[in-house]
Amino acid sequence: FKKLAEEVVAKEKEMAEKKGLKFSFEVDSSDYNMMGDITHLGEAVRNLIDNSINYTPTGSISVGLSNKGKTLLFKVKDTGVGVKEEDKGKLFKAGGVGSDSIKINTNSSGYGLAFVKGAIEKHNGKVWFESAGAGKGSTFFIELPLK
């Protein structure tokens, strides 16, 4: 998973920096070996970073990967538009977009996070997010079992 994340991050970092965003990636030297579909997991990681880039007009994005013993924790934190309280229940559902999503990201289909959720759950993992509200950024998390 570490190699997969590093490859996706390298591509996404370039996009973020072209937009003028600060971008960081922190990962330790732990073992991140696991069984899984590299294509689906790569797409899930890419989707979360892509969303942060699309919904962060200015500021920064930080990506992290850590080993929690029996699981790995991948997170993407941004200083972007955040998630309004009334939109929080929509995000991981097919077609679920926030009330202002289309104003910020005209390419939003509402299916990216639904894909992420399905892909991660098929790998016996979980995905969630935290946001203090509109204008306060977001952090999206993926937790997956190791080996």
Side-chain angles (χ1 to χ4, degrees):
F1 192 91
K2 180 180 176 181
K3 184 175 189 253
L4 173 148
E6 288 171 338
E7 289 172 3
V8 173
V9 163
K11 292 175 187 167
E12 295 294 316
K13 180 179 182 181
E14 188 176 323
M15 286 179 37
E17 290 176 344
K18 279 183 185 175
K19 190 175 174 181
L21 301 172
K22 290 182 185 175
F23 191 98
S24 64
F25 179 48
E26 290 185 31
V27 59
D28 61 33
S29 60
S30 296
D31 178 4
Y32 293 96
N33 291 329
M34 61 170 292
M35 296 293 290
D37 183 314
I38 194 165
T39 303
H40 287 158
L41 291 171
E43 188 62 24
V45 166
R46 188 200 61 75
N47 186 287
L48 293 187
I49 299 172
D50 239 13
N51 280 355
S52 281
I53 294 169
N54 289 331
Y55 292 101
T56 303
T58 61
S60 64
I61 297 169
S62 60
V63 178
L65 177 60
S66 55
N67 184 315
K68 300 297 181 188
K70 293 185 179 187
T71 62
L72 66 81
L73 184 66
F74 176 81
K75 70 179 181 177
V76 181
K77 180 177 182 167
D78 64 53
T79 59
V81 299
V83 181
K84 290 180 179 179
E85 193 62 40
E86 64 264 26
D87 293 334
K88 288 184 176 182
K90 299 176 186 176
L91 293 192
F92 291 107
K93 296 180 178 157
V97 293
S99 54
D100 294 331
S101 291
I102 206 72
K103 295 176 192 172
I104 299 156
N105 177 13
T106 57
N107 296 319
S108 178
S109 68
Y111 290 92
L113 290 176
F115 169 82
V116 172
K117 183 177 192 231
I120 297 307
E121 288 179 350
K122 283 183 178 160
H123 287 86
N124 299 313
K126 58 185 179 176
V127 59
W128 72 96
F129 74 95
E130 296 171 0
S131 178
K136 298 183 179 177
S138 305
T139 306
F140 282 77
F141 300 90
I142 292 174
E143 185 178 53
L144 290 162
L146 289 167
K147 300 199 181 163

